Amino acid sequence: MNRQQTQTVAKVVITAVAAIVVIPIIYVVFYTVARGIQAISWDFLTQFPTNGMTEGGIFPAIVGTILLTFGTAIAAIPLGISAAIYLAEYATENRLTRAIRLAIVNLAGIPSIVYGLFGLGVFVLFLNMGTSIIAGALTLGLMTLPIVISTSEEAINTVPQEFRVVSYSVGATRWQTVRYQILPQATPGIITGVILGLGRAAGETAPILFTAAAFYVPQLPQSMFDQTMALPYHLYVISTQVPGMPLDIQFATALVLLTFVLSMIVVATIFRTIMRRRREW
Amino acid sequence: MTAQQGVPSPLPVDEAPPRPKREIVIEAFIRVAGVSTIIIIILIFAFLLKEGLPAFFKVSITGLLARRWYPIEDMFGLLPLLVGSLLVTVGAVVIAVPLGLTTAVFLGELAPPWLREILKPVIEVLAGIPSIVLGFLGWVVLAPAIQNMGAPTGLTAFTGSLILAYMALPTIISITEDALYAVPKEYRDGSLALGATHWQTIYKVVLPAARSGIVIAIMLGIGRAIGETMAVMLVTGNAANIPSLSDGLYFQPVRTLTATIAAEMGEVASGSLHYNVLFAIGIVLFVITFLINSLATWIIGGNGGRRRGGQI
Amino acid sequence: MTDSIINIQNISFTYGDGTEALKNVSLKIPRNEVFVLFGPSRAGKTTLMRLLNRLSDLQEGATHAGDVEFAGQNIFNKNIDVIALRRRIGMVFAVPIPLPGTIYENLTFGLKMAGIKDANTLNERVETSLRQSALWDEVKDRLDDSAFALSGGQKQRLCLARSLALEPDVILLDNPTSGLDPISTSIVEQSLTELKKQYTIIMVPHSVQQASRVADRAAFLLDGEVIEVGGQAQIFLHPKEKKTEDYVTGRFG
């Protein structure tokens, strides 16, 4: 085989492998949509499950996931953005900063089930919150923290250094520079990152397994100290723990969860594109 | 502090005045937030130790390394779980690394721009699919398909590896692509100018230059695979056995460290030995992923720091 | 010689990477004149400028030695209010950098950060500074337009006006005409004549020609050292140092 033939073969192989990677992804999404759409109706989205969950809807699981996602946002956003501001604008390159960066990388790498263990030990048992929305949201919040920090720091670092220099040169303090020049420019990027992080949290099962999720609750949660149903856990339960569960309902639940999570990602991506086009620098 | 126009006089520069309280409070919070990341990770580890360490004394190291996991009779041998995690992870890496590297090369070097614009979001979507959804599809679609091919069950280490491989792919692809992208254009041009074909350039110049990035991609992919819980729990069959070589190593049910915690923690009494052992598994997972991620960070070296816009 | 507003004494400056940008520089800057710092690239001109309002603080790991006396104070005194110093010594950069926002917001940002909120004061400062930088007639009807909508020359005059709005004592102009067309350049140069009545101007020029057009006094810098200081006629017509003469006459390698 000469060089040109090798090249042709290599290119064909590479393209074929890329197809092996990409086609199943597309297939998985379309298959879930095609199977799931059949059982989705207005009632499915707005009714409680009935008859041992084999009939009816998934309303409480949807509400639970929304509540958990909001709780996660409240837990992760203030701390995460502040830490990002610290790293991007205040930290100098020293041992402490390196330790912080190492901590963030490792927080991002801790398995979600280990977060679940920590949440169980600290929030549910030690702080006596019980299996509850607040314990689940705090656990998910910790898990989301490194994502919020990394994406926010990146967004802040994208703001040109020139704006900082100009701001200081007209007598702004460091905080004034951050507050009035940097953050307004970084906000779109920060929002995108936060939504991406929350999308990930919304789809997680392991962290809420022992901290928030309930098999079945006959009413919506009344306070943040109630346990709750949630979409990912519900999908796990009905696909493995409920005998005689109609497959259509399982696929429909998977589709709702997939739509919930992917629409957050899509919204974040579109938002980022629009804001990038709009900015003037 | 208005300058007297026309007759500038040497106004003394003020002594530093007290800064506004609000600003002091906010900046203090920002500093605390930065340091809190260290505190959180220490807290997590400390808590795992507090709940898990007793297991090492009560069961003993030899007990934990035994071949049998049977909590009802207080047999807490972690070996089958370690083997399960190892098998599934190695399988996932063996599948994901070649696929991921090749796809990254395709995206970075071969794909026309319009196709790249489509494929990159598709891969981002894969990264966003919740693991429980992939696990569910593995459970209802992939496992039956594997069983149809002649395996005694579709819930096997291989099924888990396949699902995990696709979960690790986005990480591997995006980091590798960044690494390829970072290879200076001069290397490529130089190689092409010397008469090398595009493929020779990729194979002999671009890939070696991107080596450390690729290593990191693989390591983080491994980290992701070891820690994954729900997907493997649904598709690996959850049998705490050490699979035998003779019966097709990868086509038997296994159980991973993560799945064991997820499956059993709901049923144990807090403070019991079983509870301690499950936290001890948490320690093992924490330490493994901590080492992998720290090593990857160390390889990246000082480049992880700030990247700022140019000087004026 | 008139009394000096800034007295630079034995300043040395080293960047975090070890580059020695300034070596034992001493200069006296007289009030209400245009003082030109010129020399080849890497002579230390910009570094010196940024030291004067302590924008050099933003350089991580950089160190300096020596004193700069301004208005009777050493600006490196640790009790000094750096923020107040920067309000007193304004700066215009080589590349015009509007802040994101409107023309009006650009001009009032520094004032608002200094705690000035009164609308009349703000409006008055905006008009005055725009007139001083010869931009008022062009933008008076579009103060609420984005600053990015201005032309290059207008942006640079906006940046000048932004410094002037704070009513500083000294203005640092770091090659302010580098990206400008000849007409815009001449507008900026002409405005200097007016401005120096009210302010002290330290400027890094675009070229030796520009230096000799605008300077009252000049210092020739080379590799972080001051080679020669003197009045416009001395430096550009009868330089005492061989190196200065070579550079001024274009014989410099």
Side-chain angles (χ1 to χ4, degrees), chain B residues 166-186:
Chain B
Y166 273 84
M167 300 193 66
L169 271 173
T171 311
I172 296 178
I173 292 172
S174 72
I175 297 175
T176 306
E177 217 208 323
D178 287 349
L180 294 178
Y181 186 76
V183 174
K185 196 173 174 302
E186 292 76 33

mmCIF file of all heavy atoms in Angstrom, chain B residues 166-186:
data_model
loop_
_atom_site.group_PDB
_atom_site.id
_atom_site.type_symbol
_atom_site.label_atom_id
_atom_site.label_comp_id
_atom_site.label_asym_id
_atom_site.label_seq_id
_atom_site.Cartn_x
_atom_site.Cartn_y
_atom_site.Cartn_z
ATOM 1 N N TYR B 166 -19.784 5.047 26.627
ATOM 2 C CA TYR B 166 -20.477 6.178 26.009
ATOM 3 C C TYR B 166 -20.613 7.338 26.968
ATOM 4 O O TYR B 166 -20.662 8.499 26.553
ATOM 5 C CB TYR B 166 -21.842 5.735 25.447
ATOM 6 C CG TYR B 166 -21.682 5.224 24.044
ATOM 7 C CD1 TYR B 166 -21.300 3.912 23.811
ATOM 8 C CD2 TYR B 166 -21.827 6.085 22.956
ATOM 9 C CE1 TYR B 166 -21.079 3.454 22.525
ATOM 10 C CE2 TYR B 166 -21.612 5.644 21.665
ATOM 11 C CZ TYR B 166 -21.239 4.332 21.456
ATOM 12 O OH TYR B 166 -21.007 3.889 20.183
ATOM 13 N N MET B 167 -20.650 7.040 28.280
ATOM 14 C CA MET B 167 -20.713 8.138 29.231
ATOM 15 C C MET B 167 -19.379 8.855 29.348
ATOM 16 O O MET B 167 -19.328 10.053 29.607
ATOM 17 C CB MET B 167 -21.141 7.612 30.598
ATOM 18 C CG MET B 167 -22.496 6.970 30.542
ATOM 19 S SD MET B 167 -23.156 6.683 32.172
ATOM 20 C CE MET B 167 -23.374 8.356 32.707
ATOM 21 N N ALA B 168 -18.285 8.104 29.170
ATOM 22 C CA ALA B 168 -16.960 8.723 29.285
ATOM 23 C C ALA B 168 -16.541 9.403 27.983
ATOM 24 O O ALA B 168 -15.643 10.237 27.972
ATOM 25 C CB ALA B 168 -15.924 7.674 29.683
ATOM 26 N N LEU B 169 -17.207 9.038 26.882
ATOM 27 C CA LEU B 169 -16.797 9.568 25.572
ATOM 28 C C LEU B 169 -16.772 11.101 25.478
ATOM 29 O O LEU B 169 -15.791 11.651 24.995
ATOM 30 C CB LEU B 169 -17.696 8.998 24.466
ATOM 31 C CG LEU B 169 -17.220 7.674 23.863
ATOM 32 C CD1 LEU B 169 -18.266 7.116 22.908
ATOM 33 C CD2 LEU B 169 -15.905 7.883 23.127
ATOM 34 N N PRO B 170 -17.814 11.800 25.924
ATOM 35 C CA PRO B 170 -17.770 13.257 25.763
ATOM 36 C C PRO B 170 -16.560 13.881 26.439
ATOM 37 O O PRO B 170 -15.916 14.768 25.875
ATOM 38 C CB PRO B 170 -19.060 13.741 26.429
ATOM 39 C CG PRO B 170 -19.947 12.563 26.496
ATOM 40 C CD PRO B 170 -19.068 11.358 26.551
ATOM 41 N N THR B 171 -16.227 13.389 27.647
ATOM 42 C CA THR B 171 -15.047 13.905 28.349
ATOM 43 C C THR B 171 -13.801 13.684 27.506
ATOM 44 O O THR B 171 -13.017 14.611 27.273
ATOM 45 C CB THR B 171 -14.870 13.153 29.688
ATOM 46 O OG1 THR B 171 -16.113 13.148 30.373
ATOM 47 C CG2 THR B 171 -13.813 13.809 30.545
ATOM 48 N N ILE B 172 -13.624 12.446 27.044
ATOM 49 C CA ILE B 172 -12.417 12.117 26.288
ATOM 50 C C ILE B 172 -12.358 12.910 24.988
ATOM 51 O O ILE B 172 -11.330 13.479 24.628
ATOM 52 C CB ILE B 172 -12.362 10.598 26.011
ATOM 53 C CG1 ILE B 172 -12.258 9.847 27.336
ATOM 54 C CG2 ILE B 172 -11.201 10.243 25.089
ATOM 55 C CD1 ILE B 172 -12.248 8.348 27.207
ATOM 56 N N ILE B 173 -13.486 12.981 24.280
ATOM 57 C CA ILE B 173 -13.494 13.677 22.986
ATOM 58 C C ILE B 173 -13.172 15.153 23.172
ATOM 59 O O ILE B 173 -12.301 15.704 22.493
ATOM 60 C CB ILE B 173 -14.859 13.511 22.278
ATOM 61 C CG1 ILE B 173 -15.063 12.060 21.861
ATOM 62 C CG2 ILE B 173 -14.938 14.426 21.049
ATOM 63 C CD1 ILE B 173 -16.452 11.752 21.325
ATOM 64 N N SER B 174 -13.846 15.809 24.115
ATOM 65 C CA SER B 174 -13.678 17.269 24.166
ATOM 66 C C SER B 174 -12.279 17.638 24.654
ATOM 67 O O SER B 174 -11.673 18.566 24.121
ATOM 68 C CB SER B 174 -14.770 17.920 25.003
ATOM 69 O OG SER B 174 -14.560 17.651 26.355
ATOM 70 N N ILE B 175 -11.734 16.890 25.633
ATOM 71 C CA ILE B 175 -10.389 17.243 26.106
ATOM 72 C C ILE B 175 -9.338 16.920 25.040
ATOM 73 O O ILE B 175 -8.425 17.709 24.804
ATOM 74 C CB ILE B 175 -10.064 16.529 27.428
ATOM 75 C CG1 ILE B 175 -11.034 17.005 28.501
ATOM 76 C CG2 ILE B 175 -8.636 16.816 27.867
ATOM 77 C CD1 ILE B 175 -10.906 16.298 29.809
ATOM 78 N N THR B 176 -9.495 15.782 24.364
ATOM 79 C CA THR B 176 -8.543 15.454 23.303
ATOM 80 C C THR B 176 -8.603 16.492 22.192
ATOM 81 O O THR B 176 -7.573 16.927 21.660
ATOM 82 C CB THR B 176 -8.855 14.066 22.705
ATOM 83 O OG1 THR B 176 -8.890 13.115 23.760
ATOM 84 C CG2 THR B 176 -7.794 13.653 21.708
ATOM 85 N N GLU B 177 -9.819 16.891 21.839
ATOM 86 C CA GLU B 177 -9.937 17.867 20.757
ATOM 87 C C GLU B 177 -9.250 19.174 21.131
ATOM 88 O O GLU B 177 -8.581 19.790 20.309
ATOM 89 C CB GLU B 177 -11.414 18.101 20.457
ATOM 90 C CG GLU B 177 -11.660 18.293 18.988
ATOM 91 C CD GLU B 177 -12.873 19.147 18.750
ATOM 92 O OE1 GLU B 177 -13.841 19.020 19.515
ATOM 93 O OE2 GLU B 177 -12.830 19.954 17.816
ATOM 94 N N ASP B 178 -9.429 19.599 22.403
ATOM 95 C CA ASP B 178 -8.720 20.800 22.858
ATOM 96 C C ASP B 178 -7.221 20.627 22.708
ATOM 97 O O ASP B 178 -6.514 21.539 22.271
ATOM 98 C CB ASP B 178 -9.049 21.087 24.331
ATOM 99 C CG ASP B 178 -10.467 21.617 24.487
ATOM 100 O OD1 ASP B 178 -11.087 21.947 23.452
ATOM 101 O OD2 ASP B 178 -10.951 21.691 25.627
ATOM 102 N N ALA B 179 -6.741 19.427 23.093
ATOM 103 C CA ALA B 179 -5.298 19.173 23.022
ATOM 104 C C ALA B 179 -4.808 19.213 21.572
ATOM 105 O O ALA B 179 -3.764 19.780 21.270
ATOM 106 C CB ALA B 179 -4.967 17.824 23.654
ATOM 107 N N LEU B 180 -5.604 18.631 20.660
ATOM 108 C CA LEU B 180 -5.228 18.667 19.240
ATOM 109 C C LEU B 180 -5.217 20.093 18.726
ATOM 110 O O LEU B 180 -4.345 20.504 17.983
ATOM 111 C CB LEU B 180 -6.219 17.837 18.405
ATOM 112 C CG LEU B 180 -6.245 16.335 18.655
ATOM 113 C CD1 LEU B 180 -7.310 15.684 17.778
ATOM 114 C CD2 LEU B 180 -4.888 15.730 18.354
ATOM 115 N N TYR B 181 -6.227 20.838 19.173
ATOM 116 C CA TYR B 181 -6.373 22.209 18.719
ATOM 117 C C TYR B 181 -5.176 23.051 19.163
ATOM 118 O O TYR B 181 -4.782 23.992 18.492
ATOM 119 C CB TYR B 181 -7.671 22.786 19.283
ATOM 120 C CG TYR B 181 -8.021 24.146 18.768
ATOM 121 C CD1 TYR B 181 -8.549 24.304 17.491
ATOM 122 C CD2 TYR B 181 -7.830 25.274 19.558
ATOM 123 C CE1 TYR B 181 -8.857 25.553 17.011
ATOM 124 C CE2 TYR B 181 -8.143 26.532 19.093
ATOM 125 C CZ TYR B 181 -8.657 26.667 17.819
ATOM 126 O OH TYR B 181 -8.958 27.900 17.345
ATOM 127 N N ALA B 182 -4.611 22.672 20.327
ATOM 128 C CA ALA B 182 -3.521 23.467 20.892
ATOM 129 C C ALA B 182 -2.176 23.191 20.215
ATOM 130 O O ALA B 182 -1.211 23.891 20.470
ATOM 131 C CB ALA B 182 -3.407 23.201 22.395
ATOM 132 N N VAL B 183 -2.120 22.173 19.362
ATOM 133 C CA VAL B 183 -0.860 21.899 18.663
ATOM 134 C C VAL B 183 -0.583 23.047 17.687
ATOM 135 O O VAL B 183 -1.432 23.391 16.879
ATOM 136 C CB VAL B 183 -0.936 20.562 17.897
ATOM 137 C CG1 VAL B 183 0.321 20.351 17.063
ATOM 138 C CG2 VAL B 183 -1.129 19.415 18.864
ATOM 139 N N PRO B 184 0.612 23.646 17.782
ATOM 140 C CA PRO B 184 0.881 24.825 16.942
ATOM 141 C C PRO B 184 0.748 24.497 15.456
ATOM 142 O O PRO B 184 1.128 23.423 15.005
ATOM 143 C CB PRO B 184 2.333 25.169 17.273
ATOM 144 C CG PRO B 184 2.610 24.525 18.575
ATOM 145 C CD PRO B 184 1.736 23.321 18.660
ATOM 146 N N LYS B 185 0.207 25.461 14.735
ATOM 147 C CA LYS B 185 -0.029 25.297 13.314
ATOM 148 C C LYS B 185 1.284 25.040 12.568
ATOM 149 O O LYS B 185 1.310 24.327 11.565
ATOM 150 C CB LYS B 185 -0.693 26.567 12.773
ATOM 151 C CG LYS B 185 -1.339 26.420 11.413
ATOM 152 C CD LYS B 185 -2.116 27.697 11.078
ATOM 153 C CE LYS B 185 -2.663 27.649 9.660
ATOM 154 N NZ LYS B 185 -1.617 27.478 8.658
ATOM 155 N N GLU B 186 2.390 25.591 13.116
ATOM 156 C CA GLU B 186 3.683 25.451 12.434
ATOM 157 C C GLU B 186 4.077 23.979 12.306
ATOM 158 O O GLU B 186 4.689 23.584 11.312
ATOM 159 C CB GLU B 186 4.786 26.205 13.193
ATOM 160 C CG GLU B 186 4.646 27.720 13.172
ATOM 161 C CD GLU B 186 3.574 28.221 14.110
ATOM 162 O OE1 GLU B 186 3.378 27.589 15.173
ATOM 163 O OE2 GLU B 186 2.917 29.221 13.800
#
